[in-house]
Amino acid sequence: MKFSEYKYERPDLEQVQKLYADYIDELKEAQDADKFMIVFNKLNQMRNHITSMKTIASLRYTINTADEFYEKENDYWDEYSPFYQQLDTRLYKTIMESDLLDELKKRIPSTFFGIISCQLKAFDDAIMEDLQQENRVATQYDKLKASAKIEFEGKIYNLPGISALCESKDRELRKKASEAKFKFYEEHEAEFDRIYDELVQVRDRMAKKLGFKNFTELGYLRMTRLDYDENMVADYRKEVLENVVPLACELVKRQKERLCLDKMEYYDLNVEFESGNPTPKGHCKELVEKARQMYHELSKETGEFFDMMIDRELLDLESKPNKAGGGYCSYISEYESPFIFSNFNGTSGDVDVLTHEAGHAFQVYSSRHHAIPELEFPTYESCEIHSMSMEFITWPWSHLFFGEDTAKYHFLHLSSAVKFLPYGVLVDHFQHEVYNHPHMTPQERKATWRKLEKMYLPYKNYEGCDFLERGNYWFQQGHIFSDPFYYIDYTLAQACSLQFWKRCQEHDPDMWKDYVAICKAGGTQSFLEIVRTAHLTSPFERGSLKEIVDFVKIYLDNVDDKKL
């Protein structure tokens, strides 16, 4: 069955509430763990149906934000998702208060109990209206970005389209394209400010209602961080500042020399080579077929997986009018179907999507046997290990996509991973400052961003662009608006993925076995447990980041990048 044939029906909330109540009564009356698990499994089937309907509606809406039917369905889920969350909370309380809890912990992976403990602390009926408001306002951000119609040299571009021109090897063209892109953001500056301020205030209000001193505490619970805390993250940021920022600055200096520039401007940073960045050879359908060949040659498991993705039309990759921006992987549990959403724009990022999002999709495909919804995916930072590592594991097939530019792509990909780490911790540090000081004005937030940007990305020069110099670059970063505190996760995973890359370089025979093992684990292990299962070193371990960065530096120093 193809994705277009997947049936969508809005759940009847009243009926769902009644069924939930009946199931919870049965759970409370269960005399032993066997009977409890039978009822729990039935309830999970219903929960999987509900989440599948929500996911289908969200996918079809983001594919076409002008679709009136799915726009209304998206509005419904914005409004009513907290009521379904309320039902899950009742289930969680029933489990944690059960006399059978000790027996249940022998049958259900421990991460489930850690996750639901976080959720119980993060939700209460008192914040229902606040959650609804948060959903509505976050959707306004997505709609605002999707509405972009940027006139440039006689054509109309959306944000992914104009962003591709910002990577042009023609310096004047990329300058003008960058100016046009940021003009859109500047024209809507007041709207972005208003949206974010409303999100900060509603999140702070929820935290206070739940008894937390600020949203930072609540945010960590919502992200279900099971085995690390704010202090560990702060120490990790210092490690990045000490060990990664110097190499990132060195790489930007090499970039300036490759481009034969006296000074790097903000619009030059996305272009790595005077001859232009490596671009994929072929259009969307060709790239997908090359990816099919790659995944068949990589392993039997990945070949079967990618065939299924193509046959069921579970990839929507091309940018088009009214399509939401960005890229992501979702999972429709009722159909055991991952789904990859993206906006191809002719840059190397198109291939990154076919590996990064496919890494997510392969993981959840591999762990689809876990019937408990909370365990389909691991927590966020662990999810990104699978995706970012897949980008590096597939290096031997880069020639299929880039041909003679393969070496250029490898240098770009690896050096970009290094330069991403400081940016990633900047996004995290900024959010800590925002939510620890929720009453900052929009101008104070922007000043905070610019201050931190100068610390983590000291090479950035916004001369001639007052909008960015005032600290507005982060308007582009959707996570800051829609998924607070979801970003340090990428950097932790990047540190792990670079270890997988190192193992590939060293031809470690156990590398693929370890990768598949953590994919199959799904959400049954916490972040640090997954790191151990994969035989990696924790990024929180002092010195581990320096070790891998030093290895990367040796590799990059041995590349004559001026010849690429």
Side-chain angles (χ1 to χ4, degrees), residues 149-313:
K149 293 179 174 58
I150 301 169
E151 290 189 36
F152 185 72
E153 297 193 342
K155 294 183 180 180
I156 302 295
Y157 293 89
N158 59 11
L159 285 171
I162 197 71
S163 295
L165 297 181
C166 294
E167 294 188 17
S168 171
K169 63 181 180 180
D170 182 327
R171 195 181 192 200
E172 190 61 26
L173 176 62
R174 69 177 179 259
K175 177 184 178 183
K176 290 180 178 178
S178 297
E179 290 171 343
K181 173 184 173 180
F182 289 114
K183 182 182 177 183
F184 165 79
Y185 283 101
E186 187 167 18
E187 288 173 345
H188 296 88
E189 183 174 358
E191 292 174 78
F192 284 110
D193 279 337
R194 190 265 310 163
I195 288 170
Y196 191 58
D197 194 64
E198 286 189 27
L199 289 169
V200 171
Q201 299 314 317
V202 73
R203 288 165 182 160
D204 184 65
R205 187 165 64 246
M206 283 191 283
K208 300 288 175 52
K209 285 182 181 180
L210 292 172
F212 300 105
K213 67 178 180 180
N214 55 38
F215 179 74
T216 302
E217 293 181 340
L218 176 57
Y220 270 60
L221 288 170
R222 294 199 338 181
M223 291 298 295
T224 57
R225 294 187 170 155
L226 302 178
D227 43 18
Y228 61 97
D229 58 24
E230 186 178 354
N231 292 329
M232 293 169 70
V233 169
D235 288 342
Y236 168 75
R237 289 199 303 262
K238 291 176 185 176
E239 290 274 310
V240 172
L241 190 61
E242 179 181 336
N243 295 300
V244 186
V245 170
L247 178 55
C249 291
E250 182 182 321
L251 289 171
V252 173
K253 182 181 178 183
R254 289 176 68 176
Q255 181 182 0
K256 178 172 75 76
E257 292 171 355
R258 287 196 303 274
L259 295 174
C260 302
L261 298 175
D262 293 328
K263 183 168 64 174
M264 286 283 286
E265 304 289 355
Y266 72 93
Y267 49 81
D268 296 321
L269 289 170
N270 288 329
V271 180
E272 292 281 343
F273 304 95
E274 192 174 23
S275 58
N277 287 354
T279 54
K281 315 303 179 189
H283 297 295
C284 183
K285 289 184 179 179
E286 296 173 272
L287 297 181
V288 170
E289 282 305 312
K290 290 175 180 179
R292 188 205 291 264
Q293 177 186 341
M294 172 177 73
Y295 282 120
H296 271 274
E297 293 178 4
L298 175 59
S299 74
K300 182 175 183 292
E301 305 104 312
T302 49
E304 291 174 352
F305 147 74
F306 207 72
D307 281 345
M308 182 271 297
M309 296 292 290
I310 293 174
D311 295 343
R312 295 193 191 178
E313 298 178 353

Side-chain angles (χ1 to χ4, degrees), residues 443-467:
Q443 290 69 33
E444 288 172 331
R445 290 188 196 115
K446 295 169 189 178
T448 298
W449 173 271
R450 191 68 186 106
K451 176 184 175 183
L452 293 173
E453 197 172 33
K454 289 177 180 178
M455 181 178 10
Y456 291 107
L457 312 174
Y459 50 80
K460 280 209 165 186
N461 168 32
Y462 292 134
E463 186 177 336
C465 185
D466 176 68
F467 176 73

Side-chain angles (χ1 to χ4, degrees), residues 22 28 56 160 203 421 426 439:
D22 290 343
K28 290 178 178 178
I56 291 172
R203 288 165 182 160
L421 289 171
L426 159 63
H439 300 300

